[in-house]
Amino acid sequence: MMMLEYWNKAHICGLLSVRFGLTSYLEINTSTTGFRYIEASQLGFQPCMRLVYRATEPPVDGLPVDFISADEDIAACLNDVRLKGQTFDIVFVDPHHTYECSARDIREAFRMVSPGGAVVVHDCLPPNRTAANPSFFLGEWCGVTYKAFIDFVLGNPDLDYFTVDADYGCGVILKPKGAVAKVKNWLRARRVRALRDEWRAIGNDFDAAFDRFVTDKIRLLRIVDFRLLRRKLL
């Protein structure tokens, strides 16, 4: 499936905001991920905020950072968000791509997103095994964010989700709103239990996970073509 790299993660957040009337935005990223916050800030979100960790230097875009941590510990940042009583219609996650950081960031993003809102997760379609290395390296590193994303959505089978085949893959998790949505998603969940059990059997074997990902990524990620998504949402 061809990757449409000229459509980026900011475009996807913009499409979701227009289609579903999503007006507030939080970005969770590091000093070496993200890089599209300036585009998000120009989309008119209010508030439009970001949480940056592993922040060894100021962001190159020169825009303010609302919640910041010098290392991978974001507990104080999360407490600050909660103390401010903030929830968001879109939470965009471009984490440090280890499994631990990715899983935590996705989990916390889902907690902070409003019912009816969306979590968007970057780097869910690593192009090759090298890019999917679980350990950091300089260069085209997607890490194992894809696995953390699949673990989360299959571990919560009542959720609706899909992955856009653009900009290294952007996973979208839609947070249910109301009892009708919960019933609808529960009925859908019954159809994914076998897939969930097969995926869980892999455990923490990242090589085996990538092998399964390569052969079954369309089902695992529910991949959609960006051009089709744009026609559907606009």
Side-chain angles (χ1 to χ4, degrees), residues 168-198:
Y168 293 94
C170 292
V172 179
I173 307 168
L174 303 175
K175 192 164 190 176
K177 183 177 182 180
V180 173
K182 289 181 181 179
V183 171
K184 175 183 175 184
N185 291 342
W186 176 79
L187 293 171
R188 182 188 300 111
R190 299 180 64 185
R191 299 194 294 269
V192 304
R193 287 175 182 168
L195 182 63
R196 177 196 62 193
D197 293 343
E198 292 166 14

PDB file of all heavy atoms in Angstrom, residues 168-198:
ATOM      1  N   TYR A 168       3.943   7.792   7.674  1.00  0.00           N
ATOM      2  CA  TYR A 168       4.355   6.670   8.527  1.00  0.00           C
ATOM      3  C   TYR A 168       3.206   6.076   9.341  1.00  0.00           C
ATOM      4  O   TYR A 168       3.441   5.375  10.320  1.00  0.00           O
ATOM      5  CB  TYR A 168       5.496   7.084   9.465  1.00  0.00           C
ATOM      6  CG  TYR A 168       6.786   7.386   8.742  1.00  0.00           C
ATOM      7  CD1 TYR A 168       7.105   8.686   8.374  1.00  0.00           C
ATOM      8  CD2 TYR A 168       7.675   6.373   8.405  1.00  0.00           C
ATOM      9  CE1 TYR A 168       8.282   8.970   7.696  1.00  0.00           C
ATOM     10  CE2 TYR A 168       8.854   6.643   7.739  1.00  0.00           C
ATOM     11  CZ  TYR A 168       9.158   7.944   7.380  1.00  0.00           C
ATOM     12  OH  TYR A 168      10.323   8.217   6.706  1.00  0.00           O
ATOM     13  N   GLY A 169       1.993   6.327   8.933  1.00  0.00           N
ATOM     14  CA  GLY A 169       0.839   5.728   9.583  1.00  0.00           C
ATOM     15  C   GLY A 169       0.358   6.499  10.790  1.00  0.00           C
ATOM     16  O   GLY A 169       1.103   6.701  11.741  1.00  0.00           O
ATOM     17  N   CYS A 170      -0.897   6.954  10.740  1.00  0.00           N
ATOM     18  CA  CYS A 170      -1.497   7.669  11.858  1.00  0.00           C
ATOM     19  C   CYS A 170      -2.705   6.887  12.360  1.00  0.00           C
ATOM     20  O   CYS A 170      -3.733   6.807  11.685  1.00  0.00           O
ATOM     21  CB  CYS A 170      -1.917   9.082  11.442  1.00  0.00           C
ATOM     22  SG  CYS A 170      -0.518  10.161  11.090  1.00  0.00           S
ATOM     23  N   GLY A 171      -2.558   6.291  13.531  1.00  0.00           N
ATOM     24  CA  GLY A 171      -3.650   5.552  14.135  1.00  0.00           C
ATOM     25  C   GLY A 171      -4.639   6.500  14.787  1.00  0.00           C
ATOM     26  O   GLY A 171      -4.239   7.455  15.454  1.00  0.00           O
ATOM     27  N   VAL A 172      -5.921   6.255  14.589  1.00  0.00           N
ATOM     28  CA  VAL A 172      -6.979   7.115  15.132  1.00  0.00           C
ATOM     29  C   VAL A 172      -7.881   6.258  16.017  1.00  0.00           C
ATOM     30  O   VAL A 172      -8.449   5.255  15.563  1.00  0.00           O
ATOM     31  CB  VAL A 172      -7.812   7.767  14.014  1.00  0.00           C
ATOM     32  CG1 VAL A 172      -8.931   8.628  14.609  1.00  0.00           C
ATOM     33  CG2 VAL A 172      -6.914   8.599  13.098  1.00  0.00           C
ATOM     34  N   ILE A 173      -8.005   6.657  17.280  1.00  0.00           N
ATOM     35  CA  ILE A 173      -8.891   5.992  18.231  1.00  0.00           C
ATOM     36  C   ILE A 173     -10.024   6.939  18.563  1.00  0.00           C
ATOM     37  O   ILE A 173      -9.784   8.065  19.013  1.00  0.00           O
ATOM     38  CB  ILE A 173      -8.150   5.618  19.530  1.00  0.00           C
ATOM     39  CG1 ILE A 173      -6.887   4.806  19.235  1.00  0.00           C
ATOM     40  CG2 ILE A 173      -9.078   4.857  20.478  1.00  0.00           C
ATOM     41  CD1 ILE A 173      -5.969   4.659  20.439  1.00  0.00           C
ATOM     42  N   LEU A 174     -11.259   6.510  18.328  1.00  0.00           N
ATOM     43  CA  LEU A 174     -12.426   7.346  18.595  1.00  0.00           C
ATOM     44  C   LEU A 174     -13.007   6.976  19.959  1.00  0.00           C
ATOM     45  O   LEU A 174     -13.295   5.806  20.213  1.00  0.00           O
ATOM     46  CB  LEU A 174     -13.475   7.157  17.500  1.00  0.00           C
ATOM     47  CG  LEU A 174     -12.987   7.447  16.074  1.00  0.00           C
ATOM     48  CD1 LEU A 174     -14.073   7.112  15.062  1.00  0.00           C
ATOM     49  CD2 LEU A 174     -12.564   8.907  15.935  1.00  0.00           C
ATOM     50  N   LYS A 175     -13.157   7.960  20.810  1.00  0.00           N
ATOM     51  CA  LYS A 175     -13.673   7.685  22.152  1.00  0.00           C
ATOM     52  C   LYS A 175     -15.195   7.677  22.124  1.00  0.00           C
ATOM     53  O   LYS A 175     -15.820   8.636  21.670  1.00  0.00           O
ATOM     54  CB  LYS A 175     -13.183   8.734  23.152  1.00  0.00           C
ATOM     55  CG  LYS A 175     -13.441   8.353  24.609  1.00  0.00           C
ATOM     56  CD  LYS A 175     -12.616   9.213  25.541  1.00  0.00           C
ATOM     57  CE  LYS A 175     -12.665   8.692  26.961  1.00  0.00           C
ATOM     58  NZ  LYS A 175     -11.784   9.461  27.871  1.00  0.00           N
ATOM     59  N   PRO A 176     -15.818   6.605  22.591  1.00  0.00           N
ATOM     60  CA  PRO A 176     -17.286   6.505  22.510  1.00  0.00           C
ATOM     61  C   PRO A 176     -17.974   7.628  23.280  1.00  0.00           C
ATOM     62  O   PRO A 176     -17.469   8.129  24.282  1.00  0.00           O
ATOM     63  CB  PRO A 176     -17.588   5.148  23.159  1.00  0.00           C
ATOM     64  CG  PRO A 176     -16.320   4.390  23.099  1.00  0.00           C
ATOM     65  CD  PRO A 176     -15.222   5.403  23.198  1.00  0.00           C
ATOM     66  N   LYS A 177     -19.152   7.978  22.797  1.00  0.00           N
ATOM     67  CA  LYS A 177     -19.953   9.004  23.455  1.00  0.00           C
ATOM     68  C   LYS A 177     -21.378   8.486  23.590  1.00  0.00           C
ATOM     69  O   LYS A 177     -22.069   8.267  22.602  1.00  0.00           O
ATOM     70  CB  LYS A 177     -19.952  10.305  22.647  1.00  0.00           C
ATOM     71  CG  LYS A 177     -20.719  11.438  23.306  1.00  0.00           C
ATOM     72  CD  LYS A 177     -20.611  12.720  22.480  1.00  0.00           C
ATOM     73  CE  LYS A 177     -21.337  13.878  23.157  1.00  0.00           C
ATOM     74  NZ  LYS A 177     -21.230  15.126  22.367  1.00  0.00           N
ATOM     75  N   GLY A 178     -21.814   8.262  24.819  1.00  0.00           N
ATOM     76  CA  GLY A 178     -23.193   7.864  25.061  1.00  0.00           C
ATOM     77  C   GLY A 178     -23.410   6.364  25.030  1.00  0.00           C
ATOM     78  O   GLY A 178     -22.598   5.590  24.517  1.00  0.00           O
ATOM     79  N   ALA A 179     -24.544   5.940  25.566  1.00  0.00           N
ATOM     80  CA  ALA A 179     -24.872   4.517  25.693  1.00  0.00           C
ATOM     81  C   ALA A 179     -25.043   3.849  24.341  1.00  0.00           C
ATOM     82  O   ALA A 179     -24.672   2.691  24.158  1.00  0.00           O
ATOM     83  CB  ALA A 179     -26.143   4.349  26.524  1.00  0.00           C
ATOM     84  N   VAL A 180     -25.600   4.559  23.353  1.00  0.00           N
ATOM     85  CA  VAL A 180     -25.808   3.965  22.029  1.00  0.00           C
ATOM     86  C   VAL A 180     -24.472   3.581  21.414  1.00  0.00           C
ATOM     87  O   VAL A 180     -24.309   2.486  20.859  1.00  0.00           O
ATOM     88  CB  VAL A 180     -26.569   4.940  21.110  1.00  0.00           C
ATOM     89  CG1 VAL A 180     -26.616   4.383  19.693  1.00  0.00           C
ATOM     90  CG2 VAL A 180     -27.973   5.169  21.642  1.00  0.00           C
ATOM     91  N   ALA A 181     -23.491   4.469  21.526  1.00  0.00           N
ATOM     92  CA  ALA A 181     -22.164   4.177  20.981  1.00  0.00           C
ATOM     93  C   ALA A 181     -21.544   2.984  21.681  1.00  0.00           C
ATOM     94  O   ALA A 181     -20.907   2.136  21.053  1.00  0.00           O
ATOM     95  CB  ALA A 181     -21.258   5.394  21.116  1.00  0.00           C
ATOM     96  N   LYS A 182     -21.730   2.887  22.990  1.00  0.00           N
ATOM     97  CA  LYS A 182     -21.154   1.765  23.724  1.00  0.00           C
ATOM     98  C   LYS A 182     -21.748   0.441  23.274  1.00  0.00           C
ATOM     99  O   LYS A 182     -21.043  -0.548  23.119  1.00  0.00           O
ATOM    100  CB  LYS A 182     -21.369   1.979  25.224  1.00  0.00           C
ATOM    101  CG  LYS A 182     -20.526   3.101  25.810  1.00  0.00           C
ATOM    102  CD  LYS A 182     -20.770   3.249  27.306  1.00  0.00           C
ATOM    103  CE  LYS A 182     -19.928   4.385  27.879  1.00  0.00           C
ATOM    104  NZ  LYS A 182     -20.161   4.560  29.334  1.00  0.00           N
ATOM    105  N   VAL A 183     -23.053   0.398  23.071  1.00  0.00           N
ATOM    106  CA  VAL A 183     -23.689  -0.842  22.609  1.00  0.00           C
ATOM    107  C   VAL A 183     -23.203  -1.197  21.214  1.00  0.00           C
ATOM    108  O   VAL A 183     -22.860  -2.343  20.929  1.00  0.00           O
ATOM    109  CB  VAL A 183     -25.225  -0.695  22.634  1.00  0.00           C
ATOM    110  CG1 VAL A 183     -25.871  -1.888  21.939  1.00  0.00           C
ATOM    111  CG2 VAL A 183     -25.719  -0.571  24.063  1.00  0.00           C
ATOM    112  N   LYS A 184     -23.146  -0.209  20.328  1.00  0.00           N
ATOM    113  CA  LYS A 184     -22.689  -0.438  18.962  1.00  0.00           C
ATOM    114  C   LYS A 184     -21.267  -0.982  18.960  1.00  0.00           C
ATOM    115  O   LYS A 184     -20.959  -1.949  18.256  1.00  0.00           O
ATOM    116  CB  LYS A 184     -22.756   0.874  18.175  1.00  0.00           C
ATOM    117  CG  LYS A 184     -22.196   0.793  16.761  1.00  0.00           C
ATOM    118  CD  LYS A 184     -22.242   2.161  16.106  1.00  0.00           C
ATOM    119  CE  LYS A 184     -21.587   2.143  14.738  1.00  0.00           C
ATOM    120  NZ  LYS A 184     -21.552   3.490  14.135  1.00  0.00           N
ATOM    121  N   ASN A 185     -20.385  -0.381  19.752  1.00  0.00           N
ATOM    122  CA  ASN A 185     -19.006  -0.817  19.780  1.00  0.00           C
ATOM    123  C   ASN A 185     -18.848  -2.181  20.450  1.00  0.00           C
ATOM    124  O   ASN A 185     -17.971  -2.962  20.080  1.00  0.00           O
ATOM    125  CB  ASN A 185     -18.132   0.224  20.483  1.00  0.00           C
ATOM    126  CG  ASN A 185     -18.012   1.497  19.663  1.00  0.00           C
ATOM    127  OD1 ASN A 185     -18.293   1.491  18.474  1.00  0.00           O
ATOM    128  ND2 ASN A 185     -17.610   2.575  20.288  1.00  0.00           N
ATOM    129  N   TRP A 186     -19.703  -2.489  21.437  1.00  0.00           N
ATOM    130  CA  TRP A 186     -19.649  -3.796  22.072  1.00  0.00           C
ATOM    131  C   TRP A 186     -19.992  -4.888  21.060  1.00  0.00           C
ATOM    132  O   TRP A 186     -19.346  -5.933  21.023  1.00  0.00           O
ATOM    133  CB  TRP A 186     -20.607  -3.848  23.257  1.00  0.00           C
ATOM    134  CG  TRP A 186     -20.671  -5.213  23.888  1.00  0.00           C
ATOM    135  CD1 TRP A 186     -19.773  -5.761  24.753  1.00  0.00           C
ATOM    136  CD2 TRP A 186     -21.681  -6.214  23.677  1.00  0.00           C
ATOM    137  NE1 TRP A 186     -20.156  -7.027  25.102  1.00  0.00           N
ATOM    138  CE2 TRP A 186     -21.316  -7.341  24.463  1.00  0.00           C
ATOM    139  CE3 TRP A 186     -22.849  -6.261  22.911  1.00  0.00           C
ATOM    140  CZ2 TRP A 186     -22.095  -8.490  24.499  1.00  0.00           C
ATOM    141  CZ3 TRP A 186     -23.612  -7.418  22.952  1.00  0.00           C
ATOM    142  CH2 TRP A 186     -23.253  -8.503  23.731  1.00  0.00           C
ATOM    143  N   LEU A 187     -20.985  -4.652  20.226  1.00  0.00           N
ATOM    144  CA  LEU A 187     -21.340  -5.631  19.201  1.00  0.00           C
ATOM    145  C   LEU A 187     -20.185  -5.833  18.224  1.00  0.00           C
ATOM    146  O   LEU A 187     -19.896  -6.948  17.806  1.00  0.00           O
ATOM    147  CB  LEU A 187     -22.597  -5.172  18.460  1.00  0.00           C
ATOM    148  CG  LEU A 187     -23.886  -5.161  19.284  1.00  0.00           C
ATOM    149  CD1 LEU A 187     -25.005  -4.493  18.510  1.00  0.00           C
ATOM    150  CD2 LEU A 187     -24.284  -6.581  19.681  1.00  0.00           C
ATOM    151  N   ARG A 188     -19.514  -4.734  17.866  1.00  0.00           N
ATOM    152  CA  ARG A 188     -18.363  -4.834  16.979  1.00  0.00           C
ATOM    153  C   ARG A 188     -17.234  -5.602  17.651  1.00  0.00           C
ATOM    154  O   ARG A 188     -16.503  -6.363  17.008  1.00  0.00           O
ATOM    155  CB  ARG A 188     -17.883  -3.436  16.589  1.00  0.00           C
ATOM    156  CG  ARG A 188     -16.702  -3.424  15.619  1.00  0.00           C
ATOM    157  CD  ARG A 188     -16.135  -2.033  15.424  1.00  0.00           C
ATOM    158  NE  ARG A 188     -17.133  -1.128  14.895  1.00  0.00           N
ATOM    159  CZ  ARG A 188     -17.654  -0.117  15.579  1.00  0.00           C
ATOM    160  NH1 ARG A 188     -17.282   0.083  16.828  1.00  0.00           N
ATOM    161  NH2 ARG A 188     -18.545   0.684  15.047  1.00  0.00           N
ATOM    162  N   ALA A 189     -17.069  -5.416  18.961  1.00  0.00           N
ATOM    163  CA  ALA A 189     -15.965  -6.025  19.689  1.00  0.00           C
ATOM    164  C   ALA A 189     -16.010  -7.546  19.631  1.00  0.00           C
ATOM    165  O   ALA A 189     -14.968  -8.213  19.655  1.00  0.00           O
ATOM    166  CB  ALA A 189     -15.989  -5.566  21.143  1.00  0.00           C
ATOM    167  N   ARG A 190     -17.196  -8.117  19.552  1.00  0.00           N
ATOM    168  CA  ARG A 190     -17.322  -9.577  19.534  1.00  0.00           C
ATOM    169  C   ARG A 190     -16.630 -10.184  18.319  1.00  0.00           C
ATOM    170  O   ARG A 190     -16.226 -11.343  18.344  1.00  0.00           O
ATOM    171  CB  ARG A 190     -18.795  -9.971  19.554  1.00  0.00           C
ATOM    172  CG  ARG A 190     -19.536  -9.496  20.800  1.00  0.00           C
ATOM    173  CD  ARG A 190     -20.979  -9.915  20.771  1.00  0.00           C
ATOM    174  NE  ARG A 190     -21.122 -11.375  20.792  1.00  0.00           N
ATOM    175  CZ  ARG A 190     -22.296 -11.996  20.681  1.00  0.00           C
ATOM    176  NH1 ARG A 190     -23.405 -11.302  20.540  1.00  0.00           N
ATOM    177  NH2 ARG A 190     -22.353 -13.312  20.708  1.00  0.00           N
ATOM    178  N   ARG A 191     -16.458  -9.374  17.262  1.00  0.00           N
ATOM    179  CA  ARG A 191     -15.867  -9.890  16.034  1.00  0.00           C
ATOM    180  C   ARG A 191     -14.341  -9.861  16.053  1.00  0.00           C
ATOM    181  O   ARG A 191     -13.712 -10.368  15.130  1.00  0.00           O
ATOM    182  CB  ARG A 191     -16.402  -9.097  14.845  1.00  0.00           C
ATOM    183  CG  ARG A 191     -17.907  -9.182  14.657  1.00  0.00           C
ATOM    184  CD  ARG A 191     -18.323  -8.673  13.286  1.00  0.00           C
ATOM    185  NE  ARG A 191     -18.071  -7.257  13.118  1.00  0.00           N
ATOM    186  CZ  ARG A 191     -18.954  -6.296  13.409  1.00  0.00           C
ATOM    187  NH1 ARG A 191     -20.137  -6.618  13.903  1.00  0.00           N
ATOM    188  NH2 ARG A 191     -18.668  -5.025  13.220  1.00  0.00           N
ATOM    189  N   VAL A 192     -13.721  -9.211  17.039  1.00  0.00           N
ATOM    190  CA  VAL A 192     -12.270  -9.073  17.026  1.00  0.00           C
ATOM    191  C   VAL A 192     -11.587  -9.898  18.114  1.00  0.00           C
ATOM    192  O   VAL A 192     -10.380  -9.814  18.285  1.00  0.00           O
ATOM    193  CB  VAL A 192     -11.849  -7.590  17.173  1.00  0.00           C
ATOM    194  CG1 VAL A 192     -12.478  -6.745  16.085  1.00  0.00           C
ATOM    195  CG2 VAL A 192     -12.195  -7.042  18.549  1.00  0.00           C
ATOM    196  N   ARG A 193     -12.349 -10.692  18.853  1.00  0.00           N
ATOM    197  CA  ARG A 193     -11.751 -11.418  19.971  1.00  0.00           C
ATOM    198  C   ARG A 193     -10.698 -12.422  19.516  1.00  0.00           C
ATOM    199  O   ARG A 193      -9.655 -12.587  20.149  1.00  0.00           O
ATOM    200  CB  ARG A 193     -12.844 -12.111  20.775  1.00  0.00           C
ATOM    201  CG  ARG A 193     -13.666 -11.139  21.601  1.00  0.00           C
ATOM    202  CD  ARG A 193     -14.814 -11.836  22.299  1.00  0.00           C
ATOM    203  NE  ARG A 193     -15.621 -10.866  23.040  1.00  0.00           N
ATOM    204  CZ  ARG A 193     -16.814 -11.140  23.549  1.00  0.00           C
ATOM    205  NH1 ARG A 193     -17.338 -12.344  23.381  1.00  0.00           N
ATOM    206  NH2 ARG A 193     -17.486 -10.223  24.209  1.00  0.00           N
ATOM    207  N   ALA A 194     -10.956 -13.132  18.408  1.00  0.00           N
ATOM    208  CA  ALA A 194      -9.979 -14.107  17.914  1.00  0.00           C
ATOM    209  C   ALA A 194      -8.682 -13.414  17.525  1.00  0.00           C
ATOM    210  O   ALA A 194      -7.583 -13.889  17.861  1.00  0.00           O
ATOM    211  CB  ALA A 194     -10.557 -14.876  16.728  1.00  0.00           C
ATOM    212  N   LEU A 195      -8.787 -12.296  16.831  1.00  0.00           N
ATOM    213  CA  LEU A 195      -7.604 -11.535  16.448  1.00  0.00           C
ATOM    214  C   LEU A 195      -6.849 -11.067  17.682  1.00  0.00           C
ATOM    215  O   LEU A 195      -5.615 -11.154  17.740  1.00  0.00           O
ATOM    216  CB  LEU A 195      -8.021 -10.335  15.595  1.00  0.00           C
ATOM    217  CG  LEU A 195      -6.896  -9.443  15.063  1.00  0.00           C
ATOM    218  CD1 LEU A 195      -5.989 -10.232  14.131  1.00  0.00           C
ATOM    219  CD2 LEU A 195      -7.479  -8.229  14.344  1.00  0.00           C
ATOM    220  N   ARG A 196      -7.558 -10.601  18.691  1.00  0.00           N
ATOM    221  CA  ARG A 196      -6.937 -10.149  19.932  1.00  0.00           C
ATOM    222  C   ARG A 196      -6.173 -11.285  20.599  1.00  0.00           C
ATOM    223  O   ARG A 196      -5.031 -11.110  21.035  1.00  0.00           O
ATOM    224  CB  ARG A 196      -8.007  -9.615  20.880  1.00  0.00           C
ATOM    225  CG  ARG A 196      -7.482  -9.176  22.254  1.00  0.00           C
ATOM    226  CD  ARG A 196      -8.620  -9.052  23.238  1.00  0.00           C
ATOM    227  NE  ARG A 196      -9.278 -10.348  23.444  1.00  0.00           N
ATOM    228  CZ  ARG A 196     -10.454 -10.484  24.061  1.00  0.00           C
ATOM    229  NH1 ARG A 196     -11.107  -9.434  24.506  1.00  0.00           N
ATOM    230  NH2 ARG A 196     -10.978 -11.685  24.219  1.00  0.00           N
ATOM    231  N   ASP A 197      -6.783 -12.444  20.672  1.00  0.00           N
ATOM    232  CA  ASP A 197      -6.142 -13.573  21.344  1.00  0.00           C
ATOM    233  C   ASP A 197      -4.890 -14.024  20.592  1.00  0.00           C
ATOM    234  O   ASP A 197      -3.868 -14.368  21.205  1.00  0.00           O
ATOM    235  CB  ASP A 197      -7.126 -14.732  21.484  1.00  0.00           C
ATOM    236  CG  ASP A 197      -8.270 -14.403  22.448  1.00  0.00           C
ATOM    237  OD1 ASP A 197      -8.130 -13.439  23.236  1.00  0.00           O
ATOM    238  OD2 ASP A 197      -9.306 -15.111  22.398  1.00  0.00           O
ATOM    239  N   GLU A 198      -4.956 -14.033  19.258  1.00  0.00           N
ATOM    240  CA  GLU A 198      -3.791 -14.401  18.466  1.00  0.00           C
ATOM    241  C   GLU A 198      -2.648 -13.404  18.679  1.00  0.00           C
ATOM    242  O   GLU A 198      -1.484 -13.789  18.801  1.00  0.00           O
ATOM    243  CB  GLU A 198      -4.166 -14.454  16.984  1.00  0.00           C
ATOM    244  CG  GLU A 198      -5.121 -15.578  16.623  1.00  0.00           C
ATOM    245  CD  GLU A 198      -5.715 -15.399  15.242  1.00  0.00           C
ATOM    246  OE1 GLU A 198      -5.194 -14.552  14.475  1.00  0.00           O
ATOM    247  OE2 GLU A 198      -6.697 -16.092  14.922  1.00  0.00           O
TER     248      GLU A 198
END
